[in-house]
Amino acid sequence: MEQTVLKSGTYIQISVRAEQKLAARKLVEHSLAHHRVSNIWDKAQVLPASTRMLRFTGTLGEIVFADSFHLPRPGRSFGAIDGQDWGQDFLIRSDLMDFAVDVKSMKRRAGNLAGDYVLNIPSSQLNKPGSKTTHYFCISFHQSEIAGTVASLLGFIDKSALQNGEIGRFYAAGTKRVRADGTAFTFNEDTYEILFNEIAPVTPTAYIRSLKGFRICALK
């Protein structure tokens, strides 16, 4: 099998199939009807209308990840039957070690991603007692007028490297963060921030290269 290791600062884009989006929608609708798990924003009573879209984005990310790496698709949206999968969306076994992967998916307006874009992971999630996660996998979705829905496979984040301070940066709750465009916000909880250029790129197998819309992109 052909395998090419990409250099840091690169990512892969592939087209998302209509069937994958339909499968994600079915799982989300079933989840909303039968799997009433509270959301992190419920106590503050904000963003309740975002539940459907956030679950769709997360579930679509898991389906795209599973299909790209020949893994079983998720059987439900939003974690295990009680809403808790202990941060293990997928278990990948190898001769050296097992990888418990938590897929992190987000929507962006465009697919031209930059190295100073970030993924935020709450400390409460990263350091959750009983968490099985060993690695995070980051996927970004955007809508193209020409190509339709496109997935950017950014790659893997080693959880232990993040916890040890080898990558990322920790922000305590209440810290003011100034974005690259000059706007600012305040962290509501202890949070780890990982730059896109710190994410380890995907290894594009022959199968991934054969997927519709495949191309290798460079972070700006």
Side-chain angles (χ1 to χ4, degrees):
M1 178 182 293
E2 176 189 358
Q3 290 190 333
T4 303
V5 178
L6 299 185
K7 295 181 179 179
S8 178
T10 56
Y11 60 101
I12 289 170
Q13 285 189 343
I14 56 175
S15 297
V16 178
R17 303 193 306 273
E19 181 274 331
Q20 291 173 316
K21 292 191 287 184
L22 178 60
R25 289 193 188 97
K26 288 181 177 179
L27 286 178
V28 170
E29 292 307 319
H30 180 83
S31 171
L32 293 173
H34 305 286
H35 189 194
R36 300 184 182 279
V37 179
S38 61
N39 300 292
I40 59 174
W41 55 78
D42 284 347
K43 291 182 180 179
Q45 294 184 338
V46 296
L47 299 179
S50 299
T51 296
R52 179 174 275 99
M53 181 52 68
L54 289 172
R55 289 197 188 186
F56 173 75
T57 301
T59 302
L60 182 61
E62 292 178 12
I63 288 174
V64 168
F65 179 86
D67 290 355
S68 298
F69 294 96
H70 301 293
L71 297 168
R73 285 183 174 182
R76 55 176 58 88
S77 177
F78 204 66
I81 193 168
D82 61 351
Q84 179 55 261
D85 59 8
W86 302 107
Q88 181 178 286
D89 293 330
F90 298 93
L91 179 62
I92 303 175
R93 299 186 182 278
S94 72
D95 294 335
L96 298 177
M97 67 174 292
D98 293 341
F99 297 86
V101 180
D102 187 359
V103 179
K104 296 297 182 185
S105 305
M106 67 193 78
K107 286 184 63 179
R108 290 191 178 270
R109 294 178 181 177
N112 298 320
L113 307 177
D116 60 357
Y117 288 3
V118 300
L119 171 67
N120 289 326
I121 300 177
S123 176
S124 58
Q125 181 184 119
L126 186 81
N127 300 309
K128 185 179 182 68
S131 171
K132 297 180 180 180
T133 306
T134 64
H135 291 77
Y136 298 98
F137 189 88
C138 183
I139 300 180
S140 176
F141 292 106
H142 74 278
Q143 198 67 25
S144 166
E145 293 184 2
I146 299 175
T149 305
V150 177
S152 295
L153 310 181
L154 285 141
F156 292 93
I157 298 167
D158 188 321
K159 178 182 174 180
S160 62
L162 183 58
Q163 289 175 312
N164 296 334
E166 299 170 33
I167 59 173
R169 183 174 178 180
F170 174 77
Y171 290 92
T175 302
K176 183 178 180 180
R177 171 76 159 83
V178 179
R179 300 186 180 92
D181 62 5
T183 60
F185 68 95
T186 300
F187 286 96
N188 293 321
E189 60 180 311
D190 293 352
T191 303
Y192 290 85
E193 185 179 271
I194 307 97
L195 296 172
F196 277 15
N197 61 20
E198 295 179 300
I199 298 175
V202 179
T203 297
T205 61
Y207 175 72
I208 291 177
R209 288 179 178 274
S210 72
L211 295 175
K212 182 179 179 181
F214 170 84
R215 66 178 187 138
I216 297 173
C217 307
L219 292 170
K220 295 185 293 182

